[in-house]
Amino acid sequence: MSTGKSLEAPAQQQPQPSGSPKAGGRFKRLLTTENLMLAPAITVLASITIFPFLYLIYASLMDFALAMDDPTFAGLRNWVRLFKDPAIAQSWKVTLIYAVVGLGLEVIIGVGVALLLYATPWGRNIFVTLWMLPIFVAPVVAGLLGWFMLNSSYGLYAWVLQLVGINTDIFGNVATALPAVILIDVWEWTPLITLIVLSGLQSLPSEPLEAAEVDGASYWQKLRYVILPLSARIIVVAMLIRSMDIMRFIDTIFITTAGGPADSTKIIGLRLFEVAFRFMDIGYAAAIGLSMLFVTILLGQAFVKVMYGR
Amino acid sequence: MAKDKLTTRKIVTRVLILTALTIAMVWALLPIVWMVLSSLKTEAGMFSMPPKFIFKPTFSTYAFMFDEGNFGQFLNNSLIAAGSSTVVALLLGTFGGYALARGNYRGKKHIAFWIISTRMTPIAAAIVPLYLIFANFHLIGSTFGLVVAYTTFNLPFALWMMMTFFAELPPDMEHAAMVDGATKFQAFYRIALPQVAPGLVATGILCLMFAWNDFAFASVFTGHDTQTIPVAASLLVSQTGIAWGQAMATGTVIILPMVIAGLAVRKYLVRGLSMGAVK
């Protein structure tokens, strides 16, 4: 759990030998090697992110249809609509369920597997290697795979389900579509939680565990009073990363259900996609995008705080 | 007696752990294995019930995709788009990351926050303004536009990762070189850069993977001639009829290089995927 230490290091660093520029005006003092090395990155990053961000704010204040010639000023109309639109509320609800149920399962299974790997007598390396493979799968391929496995007429998993009497079009049924896309997310990303937690477990200080052992603690007591409390921070890091990713990606659901049936899997990112590219209502899409960005920024702020440890 | 009992218990525990892990591995791997197997079957053989795990493999689906379809072209498009954005991100990110690690910049926390929230911006939210800007410059359907889109997440990533790698190096050797007359840039280039080479490679591979695996950006920003393989894969199942054989073969081609590259840098994988929060 060596987090953030390296970030603090530069601040405590001793003064640098050639760091003092010769006298020669403010501008010259700005031309340090560091600034010259940093400038291209910051310039490019700013122009491809800050400019679009400002453009997004502008668009959210306009009546802006893709088909229209000139956008007209709309004031806060898009924003008011955002808070009144039941479709948006529905999408946030789906997003929340997707995040809470998916992340909940990922944390439970992911931490469980990490503890098993931590305790396994042999083969940890091989198990870890195999377990991490889904992480490399492109989300859109994960969606294709989930669809292929659960396809009612010839999917391998659907075949197993039919053997036990479950016979339904899984992605076409309101009751099963959301669980199915959540399970695809769980399949792909539970290993990431495991990897993060396992690397925390492997760097646990040995003293508290040894002390617990001397006191005759059982495995469950050690888990409850030593291992889990010491791993809490890293589990939070993993959850924040995953939450931001859940806001970030739409690929898996886009390919499997495209948000259907009856909007039961339409997470907020997909709703934005539909508003922008099917209804061509760019102004409204921009407002939705900014509201998503706002949530990501809150999560990012929490993440930076946890990372710096204060 | 007591000792015997303990040993039995230990054995039972071990068997239980290994059984649970085996179940987890089957759950993780079965879809991938099934995809690869299906891509090696004939279209008719794919759907035989009960499913077949032992069969005579054929590469006819792959041969068909490369010979009859534009598959080679899509592969090329993916490589160019992902590769270019990786090169740009690494180049700018390495210089910038070194400067951030060594320079005395105030408000590092704010820079960290800006970089991370840029990296984590929801793709759907980023697509809207980029689409409008690209439309203005007639970049919709161009590979250049896609490279710019990929750079919006790869550059902050590379900048951040390289900063953490450089920050871990003790600056003493660079200082010694500068005392001996090297310029600061020479100290960076000759002393610091070679030491972070493994980190640089890992960062590059992860950038490549993020761009290679993208679907949402590519589905909006590419046209018929510039389409990447994930988009090609999606079109196989959304057009009339579903070509599952080709879809599975395409999926295999998408994930195979990433599995190999990813495992090659697995030591840095967690660090990369957690934005450096976990090492």
Side-chain angles (χ1 to χ4, degrees), chain A residues 3 6-7 10 16 34-35 129 131 154 156 159 187 199 248 251, chain B residues 24 27-28 49 51 99 101-102 105 108 163 184 244 266 277-279:
Chain A
T3 43
S6 58
L7 300 171
Q16 306 188 358
E34 279 98 349
N35 284 352
T129 306
W131 184 238
Y154 39 73
L156 183 59
W159 179 72
W187 173 76
S199 84
R248 201 166 125 76
D251 302 14
Chain B
W27 155 258
M49 283 297 147
R102 291 287 184 258
Y105 294 103
K108 277 210 171 136
M163 187 204 84
K184 201 177 271 185
W244 275 120
R266 56 173 285 185
V278 183
K279 285 181 189 125

PDB file of all heavy atoms in Angstrom, chain A residues 3 6-7 10 16 34-35 129 131 154 156 159 187 199 248 251, chain B residues 24 27-28 49 51 99 101-102 105 108 163 184 244 266 277-279:
ATOM      1  N   THR A   3       1.225   4.149  -1.245  1.00  0.00           N
ATOM      2  CA  THR A   3       0.552   5.095  -2.113  1.00  0.00           C
ATOM      3  C   THR A   3       1.011   6.511  -1.817  1.00  0.00           C
ATOM      4  O   THR A   3       1.247   6.873  -0.664  1.00  0.00           O
ATOM      5  CB  THR A   3      -0.956   5.029  -1.898  1.00  0.00           C
ATOM      6  OG1 THR A   3      -1.181   4.951  -0.508  1.00  0.00           O
ATOM      7  CG2 THR A   3      -1.557   3.857  -2.600  1.00  0.00           C
ATOM      8  N   SER A   6       5.572   8.782  -3.424  1.00  0.00           N
ATOM      9  CA  SER A   6       6.397   9.354  -4.470  1.00  0.00           C
ATOM     10  C   SER A   6       5.926  10.751  -4.847  1.00  0.00           C
ATOM     11  O   SER A   6       6.700  11.577  -5.295  1.00  0.00           O
ATOM     12  CB  SER A   6       6.339   8.453  -5.702  1.00  0.00           C
ATOM     13  OG  SER A   6       5.006   8.322  -6.102  1.00  0.00           O
ATOM     14  N   LEU A   7       4.657  11.001  -4.628  1.00  0.00           N
ATOM     15  CA  LEU A   7       4.126  12.300  -5.015  1.00  0.00           C
ATOM     16  C   LEU A   7       4.618  13.387  -4.075  1.00  0.00           C
ATOM     17  O   LEU A   7       4.762  14.537  -4.455  1.00  0.00           O
ATOM     18  CB  LEU A   7       2.604  12.268  -4.995  1.00  0.00           C
ATOM     19  CG  LEU A   7       2.028  11.240  -5.939  1.00  0.00           C
ATOM     20  CD1 LEU A   7       0.543  11.108  -5.728  1.00  0.00           C
ATOM     21  CD2 LEU A   7       2.323  11.652  -7.357  1.00  0.00           C
ATOM     22  N   PRO A  10       8.938  15.105  -4.487  1.00  0.00           N
ATOM     23  CA  PRO A  10       9.542  16.268  -5.128  1.00  0.00           C
ATOM     24  C   PRO A  10       9.540  17.501  -4.233  1.00  0.00           C
ATOM     25  O   PRO A  10      10.467  18.308  -4.275  1.00  0.00           O
ATOM     26  CB  PRO A  10       8.664  16.493  -6.347  1.00  0.00           C
ATOM     27  CG  PRO A  10       8.030  15.184  -6.584  1.00  0.00           C
ATOM     28  CD  PRO A  10       7.860  14.551  -5.250  1.00  0.00           C
ATOM     29  N   GLN A  16      18.133  22.478  -6.547  1.00  0.00           N
ATOM     30  CA  GLN A  16      18.892  21.903  -7.644  1.00  0.00           C
ATOM     31  C   GLN A  16      20.031  22.818  -8.065  1.00  0.00           C
ATOM     32  O   GLN A  16      19.878  24.031  -8.082  1.00  0.00           O
ATOM     33  CB  GLN A  16      17.950  21.664  -8.817  1.00  0.00           C
ATOM     34  CG  GLN A  16      16.788  20.849  -8.345  1.00  0.00           C
ATOM     35  CD  GLN A  16      15.901  20.393  -9.466  1.00  0.00           C
ATOM     36  OE1 GLN A  16      16.124  20.702 -10.605  1.00  0.00           O
ATOM     37  NE2 GLN A  16      14.883  19.637  -9.110  1.00  0.00           N
ATOM     38  N   GLU A  34      12.766  22.722 -17.088  1.00  0.00           N
ATOM     39  CA  GLU A  34      11.509  22.066 -16.706  1.00  0.00           C
ATOM     40  C   GLU A  34      10.318  22.657 -17.450  1.00  0.00           C
ATOM     41  O   GLU A  34       9.505  21.934 -18.013  1.00  0.00           O
ATOM     42  CB  GLU A  34      11.249  22.193 -15.194  1.00  0.00           C
ATOM     43  CG  GLU A  34      12.004  21.200 -14.360  1.00  0.00           C
ATOM     44  CD  GLU A  34      13.264  21.824 -13.800  1.00  0.00           C
ATOM     45  OE1 GLU A  34      13.609  22.945 -14.243  1.00  0.00           O
ATOM     46  OE2 GLU A  34      13.897  21.195 -12.927  1.00  0.00           O
ATOM     47  N   ASN A  35      10.251  23.999 -17.451  1.00  0.00           N
ATOM     48  CA  ASN A  35       9.099  24.622 -18.107  1.00  0.00           C
ATOM     49  C   ASN A  35       9.064  24.309 -19.589  1.00  0.00           C
ATOM     50  O   ASN A  35       8.000  24.063 -20.156  1.00  0.00           O
ATOM     51  CB  ASN A  35       9.135  26.141 -17.897  1.00  0.00           C
ATOM     52  CG  ASN A  35       8.710  26.504 -16.487  1.00  0.00           C
ATOM     53  OD1 ASN A  35       8.249  25.630 -15.743  1.00  0.00           O
ATOM     54  ND2 ASN A  35       8.877  27.765 -16.121  1.00  0.00           N
ATOM     55  N   THR A 129      -2.338 -15.051 -13.029  1.00  0.00           N
ATOM     56  CA  THR A 129      -2.201 -14.813 -14.468  1.00  0.00           C
ATOM     57  C   THR A 129      -3.491 -15.156 -15.218  1.00  0.00           C
ATOM     58  O   THR A 129      -3.964 -14.378 -16.055  1.00  0.00           O
ATOM     59  CB  THR A 129      -1.046 -15.652 -15.046  1.00  0.00           C
ATOM     60  OG1 THR A 129       0.134 -15.367 -14.294  1.00  0.00           O
ATOM     61  CG2 THR A 129      -0.812 -15.332 -16.505  1.00  0.00           C
ATOM     62  N   TRP A 131      -6.524 -15.456 -13.927  1.00  0.00           N
ATOM     63  CA  TRP A 131      -7.631 -14.657 -13.413  1.00  0.00           C
ATOM     64  C   TRP A 131      -7.657 -13.263 -14.035  1.00  0.00           C
ATOM     65  O   TRP A 131      -8.704 -12.663 -14.194  1.00  0.00           O
ATOM     66  CB  TRP A 131      -7.506 -14.581 -11.879  1.00  0.00           C
ATOM     67  CG  TRP A 131      -8.596 -13.873 -11.150  1.00  0.00           C
ATOM     68  CD1 TRP A 131      -8.440 -12.786 -10.327  1.00  0.00           C
ATOM     69  CD2 TRP A 131     -10.000 -14.181 -11.108  1.00  0.00           C
ATOM     70  NE1 TRP A 131      -9.643 -12.423  -9.791  1.00  0.00           N
ATOM     71  CE2 TRP A 131     -10.617 -13.261 -10.254  1.00  0.00           C
ATOM     72  CE3 TRP A 131     -10.783 -15.162 -11.731  1.00  0.00           C
ATOM     73  CZ2 TRP A 131     -11.986 -13.266  -9.988  1.00  0.00           C
ATOM     74  CZ3 TRP A 131     -12.161 -15.166 -11.468  1.00  0.00           C
ATOM     75  CH2 TRP A 131     -12.730 -14.233 -10.609  1.00  0.00           C
ATOM     76  N   TYR A 154     -28.424 -20.721 -29.074  1.00  0.00           N
ATOM     77  CA  TYR A 154     -27.225 -21.546 -29.178  1.00  0.00           C
ATOM     78  C   TYR A 154     -26.101 -21.147 -28.229  1.00  0.00           C
ATOM     79  O   TYR A 154     -24.979 -21.572 -28.385  1.00  0.00           O
ATOM     80  CB  TYR A 154     -26.703 -21.548 -30.611  1.00  0.00           C
ATOM     81  CG  TYR A 154     -26.817 -20.207 -31.293  1.00  0.00           C
ATOM     82  CD1 TYR A 154     -25.978 -19.165 -30.942  1.00  0.00           C
ATOM     83  CD2 TYR A 154     -27.789 -20.001 -32.263  1.00  0.00           C
ATOM     84  CE1 TYR A 154     -26.111 -17.933 -31.566  1.00  0.00           C
ATOM     85  CE2 TYR A 154     -27.915 -18.774 -32.876  1.00  0.00           C
ATOM     86  CZ  TYR A 154     -27.073 -17.753 -32.527  1.00  0.00           C
ATOM     87  OH  TYR A 154     -27.209 -16.551 -33.118  1.00  0.00           O
ATOM     88  N   LEU A 156     -23.700 -21.076 -24.995  1.00  0.00           N
ATOM     89  CA  LEU A 156     -23.260 -22.137 -24.084  1.00  0.00           C
ATOM     90  C   LEU A 156     -23.925 -22.007 -22.712  1.00  0.00           C
ATOM     91  O   LEU A 156     -24.440 -22.969 -22.151  1.00  0.00           O
ATOM     92  CB  LEU A 156     -21.741 -22.086 -23.947  1.00  0.00           C
ATOM     93  CG  LEU A 156     -21.073 -23.157 -23.093  1.00  0.00           C
ATOM     94  CD1 LEU A 156     -21.360 -24.542 -23.624  1.00  0.00           C
ATOM     95  CD2 LEU A 156     -19.561 -22.924 -23.045  1.00  0.00           C
ATOM     96  N   TRP A 159     -27.628 -22.644 -22.879  1.00  0.00           N
ATOM     97  CA  TRP A 159     -27.868 -24.080 -22.959  1.00  0.00           C
ATOM     98  C   TRP A 159     -27.896 -24.684 -21.552  1.00  0.00           C
ATOM     99  O   TRP A 159     -28.780 -25.463 -21.206  1.00  0.00           O
ATOM    100  CB  TRP A 159     -26.772 -24.729 -23.801  1.00  0.00           C
ATOM    101  CG  TRP A 159     -26.881 -26.209 -23.955  1.00  0.00           C
ATOM    102  CD1 TRP A 159     -27.796 -26.881 -24.709  1.00  0.00           C
ATOM    103  CD2 TRP A 159     -26.055 -27.192 -23.339  1.00  0.00           C
ATOM    104  NE1 TRP A 159     -27.585 -28.227 -24.597  1.00  0.00           N
ATOM    105  CE2 TRP A 159     -26.523 -28.450 -23.770  1.00  0.00           C
ATOM    106  CE3 TRP A 159     -24.946 -27.130 -22.475  1.00  0.00           C
ATOM    107  CZ2 TRP A 159     -25.934 -29.639 -23.358  1.00  0.00           C
ATOM    108  CZ3 TRP A 159     -24.357 -28.314 -22.075  1.00  0.00           C
ATOM    109  CH2 TRP A 159     -24.853 -29.557 -22.507  1.00  0.00           C
ATOM    110  N   TRP A 187     -17.852  -9.936 -14.682  1.00  0.00           N
ATOM    111  CA  TRP A 187     -16.895 -10.887 -15.270  1.00  0.00           C
ATOM    112  C   TRP A 187     -15.597 -10.178 -15.653  1.00  0.00           C
ATOM    113  O   TRP A 187     -14.503 -10.630 -15.338  1.00  0.00           O
ATOM    114  CB  TRP A 187     -17.509 -11.546 -16.513  1.00  0.00           C
ATOM    115  CG  TRP A 187     -16.531 -12.404 -17.255  1.00  0.00           C
ATOM    116  CD1 TRP A 187     -16.105 -13.648 -16.886  1.00  0.00           C
ATOM    117  CD2 TRP A 187     -15.831 -12.081 -18.457  1.00  0.00           C
ATOM    118  NE1 TRP A 187     -15.194 -14.113 -17.793  1.00  0.00           N
ATOM    119  CE2 TRP A 187     -15.001 -13.176 -18.772  1.00  0.00           C
ATOM    120  CE3 TRP A 187     -15.820 -10.970 -19.310  1.00  0.00           C
ATOM    121  CZ2 TRP A 187     -14.167 -13.194 -19.897  1.00  0.00           C
ATOM    122  CZ3 TRP A 187     -14.990 -10.995 -20.425  1.00  0.00           C
ATOM    123  CH2 TRP A 187     -14.183 -12.092 -20.711  1.00  0.00           C
ATOM    124  N   SER A 199      -2.382  -6.826  -4.165  1.00  0.00           N
ATOM    125  CA  SER A 199      -1.114  -6.117  -4.008  1.00  0.00           C
ATOM    126  C   SER A 199      -1.085  -5.378  -2.670  1.00  0.00           C
ATOM    127  O   SER A 199      -0.019  -5.195  -2.085  1.00  0.00           O
ATOM    128  CB  SER A 199      -0.846  -5.189  -5.195  1.00  0.00           C
ATOM    129  OG  SER A 199      -1.496  -3.980  -5.024  1.00  0.00           O
ATOM    130  N   ARG A 248     -17.584   6.016 -17.305  1.00  0.00           N
ATOM    131  CA  ARG A 248     -16.803   6.292 -18.510  1.00  0.00           C
ATOM    132  C   ARG A 248     -17.212   5.462 -19.715  1.00  0.00           C
ATOM    133  O   ARG A 248     -17.250   5.944 -20.826  1.00  0.00           O
ATOM    134  CB  ARG A 248     -15.335   6.000 -18.165  1.00  0.00           C
ATOM    135  CG  ARG A 248     -14.332   6.650 -19.039  1.00  0.00           C
ATOM    136  CD  ARG A 248     -12.966   6.547 -18.377  1.00  0.00           C
ATOM    137  NE  ARG A 248     -12.015   5.925 -19.267  1.00  0.00           N
ATOM    138  CZ  ARG A 248     -11.466   6.557 -20.295  1.00  0.00           C
ATOM    139  NH1 ARG A 248     -11.777   7.794 -20.549  1.00  0.00           N
ATOM    140  NH2 ARG A 248     -10.624   5.925 -21.074  1.00  0.00           N
ATOM    141  N   ASP A 251     -19.636   0.826 -23.886  1.00  0.00           N
ATOM    142  CA  ASP A 251     -19.439  -0.149 -24.969  1.00  0.00           C
ATOM    143  C   ASP A 251     -20.228  -1.441 -24.775  1.00  0.00           C
ATOM    144  O   ASP A 251     -20.895  -1.919 -25.692  1.00  0.00           O
ATOM    145  CB  ASP A 251     -17.954  -0.514 -25.102  1.00  0.00           C
ATOM    146  CG  ASP A 251     -17.077   0.700 -25.355  1.00  0.00           C
ATOM    147  OD1 ASP A 251     -17.569   1.823 -25.158  1.00  0.00           O
ATOM    148  OD2 ASP A 251     -15.913   0.524 -25.734  1.00  0.00           O
TER     149      ASP A 251
ATOM    150  N   ALA B  24     -13.429 -20.270  -9.861  1.00  0.00           N
ATOM    151  CA  ALA B  24     -13.240 -18.871 -10.294  1.00  0.00           C
ATOM    152  C   ALA B  24     -12.535 -18.825 -11.653  1.00  0.00           C
ATOM    153  O   ALA B  24     -12.912 -18.037 -12.526  1.00  0.00           O
ATOM    154  CB  ALA B  24     -12.439 -18.113  -9.242  1.00  0.00           C
ATOM    155  N   TRP B  27     -14.906 -19.724 -14.503  1.00  0.00           N
ATOM    156  CA  TRP B  27     -15.800 -18.587 -14.751  1.00  0.00           C
ATOM    157  C   TRP B  27     -15.086 -17.495 -15.557  1.00  0.00           C
ATOM    158  O   TRP B  27     -15.645 -16.925 -16.495  1.00  0.00           O
ATOM    159  CB  TRP B  27     -16.308 -18.055 -13.404  1.00  0.00           C
ATOM    160  CG  TRP B  27     -16.738 -16.626 -13.352  1.00  0.00           C
ATOM    161  CD1 TRP B  27     -16.017 -15.582 -12.848  1.00  0.00           C
ATOM    162  CD2 TRP B  27     -17.988 -16.058 -13.790  1.00  0.00           C
ATOM    163  NE1 TRP B  27     -16.743 -14.418 -12.952  1.00  0.00           N
ATOM    164  CE2 TRP B  27     -17.951 -14.683 -13.519  1.00  0.00           C
ATOM    165  CE3 TRP B  27     -19.132 -16.597 -14.385  1.00  0.00           C
ATOM    166  CZ2 TRP B  27     -19.006 -13.825 -13.818  1.00  0.00           C
ATOM    167  CZ3 TRP B  27     -20.183 -15.731 -14.683  1.00  0.00           C
ATOM    168  CH2 TRP B  27     -20.116 -14.366 -14.402  1.00  0.00           C
ATOM    169  N   ALA B  28     -13.828 -17.242 -15.221  1.00  0.00           N
ATOM    170  CA  ALA B  28     -13.093 -16.168 -15.903  1.00  0.00           C
ATOM    171  C   ALA B  28     -12.702 -16.580 -17.317  1.00  0.00           C
ATOM    172  O   ALA B  28     -12.711 -15.756 -18.233  1.00  0.00           O
ATOM    173  CB  ALA B  28     -11.848 -15.786 -15.097  1.00  0.00           C
ATOM    174  N   MET B  49     -25.628 -28.644 -30.616  1.00  0.00           N
ATOM    175  CA  MET B  49     -26.019 -28.837 -29.224  1.00  0.00           C
ATOM    176  C   MET B  49     -26.146 -30.332 -28.962  1.00  0.00           C
ATOM    177  O   MET B  49     -26.798 -31.019 -29.743  1.00  0.00           O
ATOM    178  CB  MET B  49     -27.360 -28.165 -28.936  1.00  0.00           C
ATOM    179  CG  MET B  49     -27.298 -26.662 -28.780  1.00  0.00           C
ATOM    180  SD  MET B  49     -26.276 -26.170 -27.369  1.00  0.00           S
ATOM    181  CE  MET B  49     -25.583 -24.651 -27.974  1.00  0.00           C
ATOM    182  N   PRO B  51     -22.888 -28.623 -26.855  1.00  0.00           N
ATOM    183  CA  PRO B  51     -21.685 -27.978 -27.386  1.00  0.00           C
ATOM    184  C   PRO B  51     -20.504 -28.938 -27.460  1.00  0.00           C
ATOM    185  O   PRO B  51     -20.358 -29.806 -26.621  1.00  0.00           O
ATOM    186  CB  PRO B  51     -21.402 -26.884 -26.353  1.00  0.00           C
ATOM    187  CG  PRO B  51     -22.610 -26.775 -25.525  1.00  0.00           C
ATOM    188  CD  PRO B  51     -23.318 -28.069 -25.570  1.00  0.00           C
ATOM    189  N   ALA B  99       9.453  16.864 -15.997  1.00  0.00           N
ATOM    190  CA  ALA B  99       9.401  18.238 -15.494  1.00  0.00           C
ATOM    191  C   ALA B  99       8.537  18.313 -14.233  1.00  0.00           C
ATOM    192  O   ALA B  99       8.909  18.954 -13.245  1.00  0.00           O
ATOM    193  CB  ALA B  99       8.851  19.167 -16.577  1.00  0.00           C
ATOM    194  N   ALA B 101       7.960  15.956 -12.119  1.00  0.00           N
ATOM    195  CA  ALA B 101       8.592  15.256 -11.005  1.00  0.00           C
ATOM    196  C   ALA B 101       9.737  16.054 -10.407  1.00  0.00           C
ATOM    197  O   ALA B 101       9.958  16.028  -9.202  1.00  0.00           O
ATOM    198  CB  ALA B 101       9.096  13.883 -11.464  1.00  0.00           C
ATOM    199  N   ARG B 102      10.486  16.778 -11.269  1.00  0.00           N
ATOM    200  CA  ARG B 102      11.688  17.450 -10.785  1.00  0.00           C
ATOM    201  C   ARG B 102      11.504  18.941 -10.516  1.00  0.00           C
ATOM    202  O   ARG B 102      12.264  19.526  -9.754  1.00  0.00           O
ATOM    203  CB  ARG B 102      12.828  17.261 -11.782  1.00  0.00           C
ATOM    204  CG  ARG B 102      13.362  15.837 -11.865  1.00  0.00           C
ATOM    205  CD  ARG B 102      14.165  15.498 -10.627  1.00  0.00           C
ATOM    206  NE  ARG B 102      14.767  14.167 -10.748  1.00  0.00           N
ATOM    207  CZ  ARG B 102      14.293  13.067 -10.150  1.00  0.00           C
ATOM    208  NH1 ARG B 102      13.214  13.154  -9.391  1.00  0.00           N
ATOM    209  NH2 ARG B 102      14.896  11.910 -10.299  1.00  0.00           N
ATOM    210  N   TYR B 105       6.948  22.832  -8.699  1.00  0.00           N
ATOM    211  CA  TYR B 105       5.666  23.445  -9.027  1.00  0.00           C
ATOM    212  C   TYR B 105       4.775  23.430  -7.806  1.00  0.00           C
ATOM    213  O   TYR B 105       4.681  22.423  -7.106  1.00  0.00           O
ATOM    214  CB  TYR B 105       5.001  22.695 -10.179  1.00  0.00           C
ATOM    215  CG  TYR B 105       5.775  22.817 -11.461  1.00  0.00           C
ATOM    216  CD1 TYR B 105       6.555  21.777 -11.918  1.00  0.00           C
ATOM    217  CD2 TYR B 105       5.745  24.011 -12.183  1.00  0.00           C
ATOM    218  CE1 TYR B 105       7.290  21.892 -13.081  1.00  0.00           C
ATOM    219  CE2 TYR B 105       6.476  24.140 -13.341  1.00  0.00           C
ATOM    220  CZ  TYR B 105       7.248  23.073 -13.788  1.00  0.00           C
ATOM    221  OH  TYR B 105       7.969  23.205 -14.935  1.00  0.00           O
ATOM    222  N   LYS B 108       0.666  20.915  -6.706  1.00  0.00           N
ATOM    223  CA  LYS B 108       0.730  19.624  -7.404  1.00  0.00           C
ATOM    224  C   LYS B 108      -0.575  18.855  -7.285  1.00  0.00           C
ATOM    225  O   LYS B 108      -0.965  18.125  -8.180  1.00  0.00           O
ATOM    226  CB  LYS B 108       1.874  18.795  -6.832  1.00  0.00           C
ATOM    227  CG  LYS B 108       3.182  19.183  -7.465  1.00  0.00           C
ATOM    228  CD  LYS B 108       4.155  18.030  -7.519  1.00  0.00           C
ATOM    229  CE  LYS B 108       5.326  18.466  -8.351  1.00  0.00           C
ATOM    230  NZ  LYS B 108       6.603  18.127  -7.847  1.00  0.00           N
ATOM    231  N   MET B 163       5.378  10.778 -14.575  1.00  0.00           N
ATOM    232  CA  MET B 163       5.716  11.579 -13.400  1.00  0.00           C
ATOM    233  C   MET B 163       5.988  10.679 -12.199  1.00  0.00           C
ATOM    234  O   MET B 163       6.975  10.864 -11.487  1.00  0.00           O
ATOM    235  CB  MET B 163       4.598  12.566 -13.078  1.00  0.00           C
ATOM    236  CG  MET B 163       4.984  13.524 -11.988  1.00  0.00           C
ATOM    237  SD  MET B 163       3.560  14.209 -11.141  1.00  0.00           S
ATOM    238  CE  MET B 163       3.242  12.920  -9.971  1.00  0.00           C
ATOM    239  N   LYS B 184      20.874  20.242 -17.618  1.00  0.00           N
ATOM    240  CA  LYS B 184      19.765  19.555 -16.985  1.00  0.00           C
ATOM    241  C   LYS B 184      19.107  18.583 -17.965  1.00  0.00           C
ATOM    242  O   LYS B 184      18.705  17.480 -17.606  1.00  0.00           O
ATOM    243  CB  LYS B 184      18.747  20.591 -16.504  1.00  0.00           C
ATOM    244  CG  LYS B 184      17.851  20.032 -15.418  1.00  0.00           C
ATOM    245  CD  LYS B 184      16.895  21.088 -14.903  1.00  0.00           C
ATOM    246  CE  LYS B 184      17.481  21.865 -13.757  1.00  0.00           C
ATOM    247  NZ  LYS B 184      16.501  22.805 -13.190  1.00  0.00           N
ATOM    248  N   TRP B 244     -21.682 -14.895 -36.454  1.00  0.00           N
ATOM    249  CA  TRP B 244     -21.028 -15.172 -35.171  1.00  0.00           C
ATOM    250  C   TRP B 244     -19.614 -15.699 -35.354  1.00  0.00           C
ATOM    251  O   TRP B 244     -18.720 -15.376 -34.567  1.00  0.00           O
ATOM    252  CB  TRP B 244     -21.850 -16.169 -34.355  1.00  0.00           C
ATOM    253  CG  TRP B 244     -22.933 -15.515 -33.558  1.00  0.00           C
ATOM    254  CD1 TRP B 244     -24.262 -15.751 -33.653  1.00  0.00           C
ATOM    255  CD2 TRP B 244     -22.775 -14.520 -32.536  1.00  0.00           C
ATOM    256  NE1 TRP B 244     -24.954 -14.963 -32.761  1.00  0.00           N
ATOM    257  CE2 TRP B 244     -24.060 -14.192 -32.064  1.00  0.00           C
ATOM    258  CE3 TRP B 244     -21.685 -13.845 -31.992  1.00  0.00           C
ATOM    259  CZ2 TRP B 244     -24.295 -13.251 -31.067  1.00  0.00           C
ATOM    260  CZ3 TRP B 244     -21.899 -12.899 -31.002  1.00  0.00           C
ATOM    261  CH2 TRP B 244     -23.186 -12.613 -30.550  1.00  0.00           C
ATOM    262  N   ARG B 266       2.849  -7.155 -16.840  1.00  0.00           N
ATOM    263  CA  ARG B 266       1.905  -7.367 -15.738  1.00  0.00           C
ATOM    264  C   ARG B 266       2.394  -6.775 -14.421  1.00  0.00           C
ATOM    265  O   ARG B 266       1.603  -6.409 -13.564  1.00  0.00           O
ATOM    266  CB  ARG B 266       1.588  -8.849 -15.560  1.00  0.00           C
ATOM    267  CG  ARG B 266       2.781  -9.728 -15.348  1.00  0.00           C
ATOM    268  CD  ARG B 266       2.349 -11.134 -15.021  1.00  0.00           C
ATOM    269  NE  ARG B 266       1.861 -11.208 -13.633  1.00  0.00           N
ATOM    270  CZ  ARG B 266       1.505 -12.324 -13.032  1.00  0.00           C
ATOM    271  NH1 ARG B 266       1.542 -13.442 -13.690  1.00  0.00           N
ATOM    272  NH2 ARG B 266       1.106 -12.318 -11.781  1.00  0.00           N
ATOM    273  N   ALA B 277      -2.112   4.759  -7.998  1.00  0.00           N
ATOM    274  CA  ALA B 277      -2.483   4.786  -6.585  1.00  0.00           C
ATOM    275  C   ALA B 277      -2.022   3.521  -5.868  1.00  0.00           C
ATOM    276  O   ALA B 277      -1.814   3.536  -4.666  1.00  0.00           O
ATOM    277  CB  ALA B 277      -3.992   4.954  -6.433  1.00  0.00           C
ATOM    278  N   VAL B 278      -1.892   2.419  -6.617  1.00  0.00           N
ATOM    279  CA  VAL B 278      -1.466   1.159  -6.020  1.00  0.00           C
ATOM    280  C   VAL B 278      -0.238   0.680  -6.773  1.00  0.00           C
ATOM    281  O   VAL B 278      -0.238   0.672  -8.002  1.00  0.00           O
ATOM    282  CB  VAL B 278      -2.578   0.088  -6.144  1.00  0.00           C
ATOM    283  CG1 VAL B 278      -2.145  -1.193  -5.465  1.00  0.00           C
ATOM    284  CG2 VAL B 278      -3.866   0.613  -5.564  1.00  0.00           C
ATOM    285  N   LYS B 279       0.811   0.306  -6.021  1.00  0.00           N
ATOM    286  CA  LYS B 279       2.026  -0.108  -6.735  1.00  0.00           C
ATOM    287  C   LYS B 279       2.313  -1.571  -6.513  1.00  0.00           C
ATOM    288  O   LYS B 279       1.853  -2.160  -5.587  1.00  0.00           O
ATOM    289  CB  LYS B 279       3.197   0.740  -6.282  1.00  0.00           C
ATOM    290  CG  LYS B 279       3.035   2.088  -6.934  1.00  0.00           C
ATOM    291  CD  LYS B 279       4.129   3.064  -6.614  1.00  0.00           C
ATOM    292  CE  LYS B 279       3.679   4.406  -7.158  1.00  0.00           C
ATOM    293  NZ  LYS B 279       3.694   5.414  -6.114  1.00  0.00           N
TER     294      LYS B 279
END
